[in-house]
């Protein structure tokens, strides 16, 4: 028999022609390809190593792309991409003009639904299933969702709706790898985890049925007893009460179990729930030992593993926040820290270690996180919610109604604001200025460097109402960060360079690039510090001294900080030209952060060029 090769798998149709033993060989090769590929480009690793066999089984059993598969979050979809004709494209994964790190409808017909945020898959496949039913189409609809993503309310909203939706084929696969980006938390996760010590139940159930099927009265009694026993031993009752036929748990790395089980569920149709248990980092010992470290690594040597840099890297904004949080908690016993399942990403590991009773990971539940913070604030606590800008969008209603409307004292530390690089449009923190500044009672702060971040965090923490401090992914310009917990006056800007003719108003960490441009233009540079409230007194003074303004922000221009300046001028009856520089009205694809900013004209050269083009008559000649 010829040796099968991953290089000969150009589409799932090629998988469907293989037998079970050949599928196992493909799994070995696919896992190695994922490891080698991610080690060269960076990307998500642990989650992808854990879904190799499941991906193969799904594409072997189901008629994709006619049958729809939706990968929840999507950071475990690399094997799926490789098997659906994108093996060669993995060399440019998450790079400019390369393929996305997440499923993307415009990229492939096999990517049935674009994902990147958690817990959307069941809602999406239910919508697809209803559309298929209405069109009279017989196809399968599969949602693959992790145990971490199952902590979010949206997943249960979809399950609840599916249970009363007739005539649909929906298969939910719970990929139980005990892995979210931070350690999974919550009562539901503990409920699922009990299965690891209770697998005897699944075996005993099957054996009991085989023995008792010849004694109908006893079998009926056993069925009734089983309904009560399930509630103690497995989550079957929970999902079956929602209308799903629960199967599992089964070994998610055993193709001899996966393939026939999926074939049976495909034949059954209707509402099916399959619970598979996988191991994060499967097949690569270093990732198995530390799946969080290998969740989203950069480039590394697989034979050596991830190594600490020989020279200390510049302090990141996330690290600045983490140290500030611990220092402020030491000074104020009312401080509590909250994260929606992003302990590592938000820099809260040390805070949890030092202040475990004041640390709350609420799971992938952004809406709950915001209202939970509001409840704490009602009772005199001082909650600090560390959340990525892109994830605060998911709790916007709660932010308005449960915090801002009641003017509750909650500090929002918005990490990953602005361009996020390789994660692309799905994770971009481009909109927080626009959607926060329009809400009454809100303070919106935009620190220009690492030290300003610490100052403005302290300032917003002491503001007796809702306030946000936004900062980008990665390191800044390397500013020296103070040790104290000093504050600044809310709404007060700082002139960093006095020039003439044109005033550059910068909001946030583009300040360093703007300062270089200001020197070249002999312009005034103002670090605005706050989008809301604006330093209107300074703006009125500058309007008397300058002929034009330029607003600069790493955020959406529409409704952003530049818009706030224009609104101020309109209120005050000031008529002067204003050039708004920021992120355009389009979704910005993945790529290198610096290269994207340069392409958008938001580096020093780009800012200078834009100003000269717009205000050529006001410019000093280039030296």
């Amino acid at each position: 028999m010829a040796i099968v090769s991953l290089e000969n798998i150009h589409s799932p149709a090629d998988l469907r022609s293989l037998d079970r033993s050949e599928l196992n060989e493909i799994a070995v090769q696919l896992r190695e390809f994922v490891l080698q590929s991610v080690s060269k480009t960076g990307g998500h690793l642990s989650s992808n190593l854990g879904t190799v066999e499941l991906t193969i089984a799904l594409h072997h059993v189901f008629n994709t792309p006619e049958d729809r598969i939706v990968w929840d979050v999507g950071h475990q979809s690399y094997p799926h991409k490789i098997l659906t004709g994108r093996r060669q494209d993995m060399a440019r994964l998450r790079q400019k003009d390369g393929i996305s790190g997440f499923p993307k409808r415009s990229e492939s017909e096999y990517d049935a639904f674009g994902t990147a945020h958690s817990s959307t898959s069941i809602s999406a496949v239910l919508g697809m299933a209803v559309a298929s039913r209405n069109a009279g189409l017989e196809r399968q609809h599969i949602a693959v969702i992790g145990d971490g993503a199952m902590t979010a309310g949206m997943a249960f909203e979809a399950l609840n709706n599916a249970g009363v939706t007739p005539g649909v084929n929906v298969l939910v696969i719970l990929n139980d790898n005990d892995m979210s980006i931070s350690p999974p938390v919550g009562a539901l996760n503990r409920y699922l985890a009990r299965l690891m010590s209770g697998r005897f139940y699944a075996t005993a159930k099957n054996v009991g049925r085989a023995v008792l099927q010849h004694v109908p009265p006893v079998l009926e009694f056993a069925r009734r007893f089983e309904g009560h026993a399930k509630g103690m031993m497995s989550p079957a009752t929970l999902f079956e009460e929602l209308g799903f036929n629960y199967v599992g748990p089964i070994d998610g790395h055993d193709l001899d179990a996966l393939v026939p089980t999926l074939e049976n569920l495909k034949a059954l149709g209707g509402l099916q729930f399959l619970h598979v248990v996988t191991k994060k980092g499967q097949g690569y010992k270093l990732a198995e030992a530390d799946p969080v470290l290998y969740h989203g690594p950069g480039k590394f040597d697989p034979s050596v593993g991830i190594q600490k840099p020989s020279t200390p890297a510049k302090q990141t904004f996330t690290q600045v926040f983490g140290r500030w949080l611990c220092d402020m908690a030491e000074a104020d016993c009312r401080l509590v820290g909250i994260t929606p399942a992003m302990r590592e990403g938000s820099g809260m590991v040390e805070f949890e270690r030092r202040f475990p009773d004041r640390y709350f990971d609420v799971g992938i539940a952004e809406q709950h996180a915001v209202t939970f913070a509001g409840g704490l604030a009602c009772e005199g606590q001082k909650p600090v919610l560390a959340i990525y800008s892109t994830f605060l969008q998911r709790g916007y209603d709660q932010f308005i109604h449960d915090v801002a409307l009641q003017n509750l004292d909650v500090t929002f530390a918005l990490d990953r604001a602005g361009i996020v690089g390789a994660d692309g449009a799905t994770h971009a923190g481009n909109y927080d200025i626009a959607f926060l500044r329009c809400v009454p009672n809100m303070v919106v702060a935009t620190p220009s460097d690492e030290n300003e971040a610490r100052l403005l965090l302290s300032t917003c923490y002491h503001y007796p109402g809702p306030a946000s401090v936004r900062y980008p992914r990665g390191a800044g310009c390397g500013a020296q960060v103070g040790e104290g917990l000093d504050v600044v006056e809310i709404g007060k800007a700082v002139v960093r360079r006095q020039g003439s003719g044109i005033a550059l108003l910068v909001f946030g960490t583009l300040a360093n690039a703007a300062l270089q441009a200001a020197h070249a233009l002999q312009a005034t540079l103002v670090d605005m510090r706050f989008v809301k409230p604006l330093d209107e007194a300074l703006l009125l003074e500058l309007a008397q001294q300058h002929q034009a303004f330029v607003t600069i922000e790493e955020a959406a221009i529409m409704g952003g900080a530049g818009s706030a300046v224009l609104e101020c001028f309109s209120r005050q009856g000031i008529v002067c030209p204003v050039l708004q520089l920021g992120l355009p009205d389009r979704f910005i694809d993945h790529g290198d952060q610096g290269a994207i900013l340069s392409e958008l004209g938001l580096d020093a050269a780009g800012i200078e060029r834009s100003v000269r083009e717009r205000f050529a008559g006001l410019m000093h000649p280039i030296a």
Side-chain angles (χ1 to χ4, degrees):
M1 183 179 70
I3 298 176
V4 294
S5 172
L6 181 63
E7 293 183 359
N8 295 328
I9 304 298
H10 304 292
S11 74
D14 297 320
L15 275 181
R16 292 193 275 272
S17 67
L18 302 180
D19 62 31
R20 199 81 51 76
S21 63
E22 291 173 318
L23 292 181
N24 281 304
E25 176 56 32
I26 291 296
V28 172
Q29 296 179 33
L30 180 56
R31 179 166 281 109
E32 181 62 20
F33 186 90
V34 168
L35 174 60
Q36 295 299 327
S37 178
V38 173
S39 73
K40 293 180 176 65
T41 62
H44 295 103
L45 184 61
S46 297
S47 52
N48 284 290
L49 293 176
T51 58
V52 166
E53 289 82 7
L54 178 58
T55 307
I56 290 171
L58 284 169
H59 283 298
H60 178 74
V61 171
F62 292 97
N63 184 33
T64 54
E66 178 65 17
D67 291 336
R68 314 301 201 208
I69 301 176
V70 176
W71 301 90
D72 206 284
V73 181
H75 58 209
Q76 79 284 46
S77 63
Y78 297 0
H80 160 80
K81 287 176 180 273
I82 294 163
L83 295 174
T84 55
R86 288 168 278 181
R87 186 178 70 253
Q88 299 299 327
D89 297 326
M90 290 294 290
R92 294 202 49 79
L93 176 73
R94 306 183 348 136
Q95 299 173 36
K96 180 176 169 54
D97 299 325
I99 62 173
S100 171
F102 302 97
K104 190 174 182 180
R105 281 172 53 83
S106 61
E107 187 177 291
S108 171
E109 63 179 337
Y110 291 95
D111 292 358
F113 194 80
T115 54
H117 285 196
S118 167
S119 315
T120 60
S121 61
I122 306 174
S123 297
V125 298
L126 179 58
M128 294 173 181
V130 169
S132 296
R133 181 200 66 189
N134 292 349
L137 299 173
E138 280 295 326
R139 60 164 66 113
Q140 304 294 322
H141 312 85
I142 304 106
V144 183
I145 183 169
D147 56 306
M150 281 297 293
T151 65
M154 185 174 177
F156 286 91
E157 293 172 17
L159 290 171
N160 183 55
N161 186 201
V164 294
T165 304
V168 293
N169 290 327
V170 171
L171 168 59
V172 176
I173 299 177
L174 174 62
N175 177 29
D176 185 359
N177 61 10
D178 201 32
M179 169 71 177
S180 50
I181 299 173
S182 295
V185 297
L188 176 65
N189 183 263
R190 286 196 293 271
Y191 189 37
L192 295 175
R194 289 214 303 267
L195 290 164
M196 304 306 293
S197 61
R199 291 189 186 177
F200 73 90
Y201 168 72
T203 302
K205 179 178 71 173
N206 294 331
V207 171
R209 280 179 175 165
V211 172
L212 296 174
Q213 63 182 339
H214 303 295
V215 191
V218 179
L219 178 59
E220 177 59 28
F221 173 79
R223 281 200 182 110
R224 292 181 181 180
F225 176 78
E226 178 187 21
H228 296 284
K230 277 180 178 180
M232 296 181 288
M233 296 181 176
S234 86
T237 301
L238 170 65
F239 297 114
E240 290 184 351
E241 287 295 330
L242 289 169
F244 284 77
N245 175 46
Y246 175 90
V247 176
I250 66 171
D251 185 347
H253 300 299
D254 183 357
L255 283 163
D256 291 329
L258 281 171
V259 170
T261 300
L262 289 172
E263 288 173 341
N264 290 338
L265 293 175
K266 178 181 179 181
L268 285 172
L271 299 179
Q272 304 293 331
F273 193 102
L274 174 61
H275 186 167
V276 303
V277 177
T278 61
K279 186 175 182 62
K280 47 206 172 186
Q282 172 75 8
Y284 183 50
K285 295 301 182 185
L286 294 174
E288 289 180 13
D290 195 344
V292 173
L293 176 64
Y294 286 85
H295 169 72
K299 300 176 184 180
F300 69 99
D301 182 348
S303 65
V304 176
I306 297 173
Q307 301 293 301
K308 292 183 179 179
S310 55
T311 57
K314 285 196 296 185
Q315 189 173 195
T316 67
F317 281 95
T318 302
Q319 290 169 333
V320 171
F321 166 75
R323 290 168 185 168
W324 169 84
L325 188 66
C326 290
D327 291 346
M328 186 60 79
E330 191 72 49
D332 187 347
C333 64
R334 299 172 299 164
L335 185 150
V336 292
I338 306 167
T339 176
M342 297 301 293
R343 181 188 66 178
E344 288 78 12
S346 292
M348 299 181 72
V349 174
E350 179 66 12
F351 178 80
E352 182 197 20
R353 186 189 69 79
R354 289 178 56 186
F355 305 97
D357 294 337
R358 294 154 66 184
Y359 166 80
F360 298 93
D361 183 343
V362 301
I364 304 175
E366 294 88 357
Q367 297 174 52
H368 164 60
V370 175
T371 304
F372 174 61
L376 286 163
C378 281
E379 301 303 321
Q381 300 286 284
K382 293 274 289 180
V384 177
L385 173 54
I387 187 169
Y388 290 8
S389 169
T390 186
F391 297 144
L392 180 57
Q393 295 162 191
R394 309 188 102 197
Y396 190 50
D397 178 74
Q398 289 70 27
F399 162 73
I400 294 175
H401 285 268
D402 300 339
V403 174
L405 182 63
Q406 303 180 80
N407 200 24
L408 294 175
D409 188 359
V410 179
T411 303
F412 296 86
L414 304 187
D415 205 325
R416 269 62 166 182
I419 299 297
V420 292
D423 283 336
T426 58
H427 283 59
N430 298 352
Y431 314 109
D432 56 90
I433 289 178
F435 72 64
L436 290 177
R437 78 174 190 85
C438 62
V439 179
N441 296 328
M442 190 66 192
V443 167
V444 180
T446 56
S448 56
D449 61 31
E450 299 91 330
N451 189 57
E452 284 285 311
R454 186 176 174 99
L455 281 170
L456 294 183
L457 282 163
S458 294
T459 302
C460 287
Y461 178 79
H462 288 296
Y463 171 71
S468 70
V469 183
R470 75 185 315 255
Y471 44 90
R473 180 177 189 170
C477 62
Q480 184 68 34
V481 181
E483 298 291 328
L485 295 170
D486 300 331
V487 300
V488 300
E489 183 180 344
I490 287 179
K492 190 69 175 176
V494 180
V495 177
R496 300 294 185 190
R497 183 188 189 278
Q498 187 66 56
S500 61
I502 296 174
L504 308 185
L505 311 178
V506 64
F507 297 84
T509 54
L510 295 178
N512 193 48
L515 180 59
Q516 295 177 55
H519 282 303
L521 298 165
Q522 298 182 37
T524 295
L525 177 71
V526 182
D527 178 357
M528 292 298 294
R529 277 184 168 166
F530 296 91
V531 178
K532 186 178 184 180
L534 281 173
D535 191 340
E536 295 201 8
L538 178 60
L539 289 178
L540 292 175
E541 181 182 328
L542 292 170
Q544 302 299 315
Q545 304 165 352
H546 296 78
Q547 296 167 278
F549 286 84
V550 181
T551 63
I552 304 166
E553 58 192 304
E554 192 178 334
I557 292 175
M558 295 186 71
S563 295
V565 171
L566 288 170
E567 291 162 13
C568 169
F569 286 171
S570 177
R571 283 194 305 273
Q572 299 296 336
I574 296 171
V575 180
C576 66
V578 178
L579 170 63
Q580 292 174 263
L581 299 180
L583 304 181
D585 183 28
R586 62 179 173 84
F587 292 112
I588 298 165
D589 223 337
H590 49 271
D592 177 78
Q593 278 178 275
I596 291 172
L597 288 173
S598 178
E599 182 182 308
L600 295 173
L602 294 175
D603 59 355
I607 293 170
E608 180 185 351
R609 181 173 60 252
S610 295
V611 175
R612 290 190 181 280
E613 289 175 357
R614 175 68 179 274
F615 301 121
L618 302 178
M619 292 294 95
H620 296 276
I622 299 175

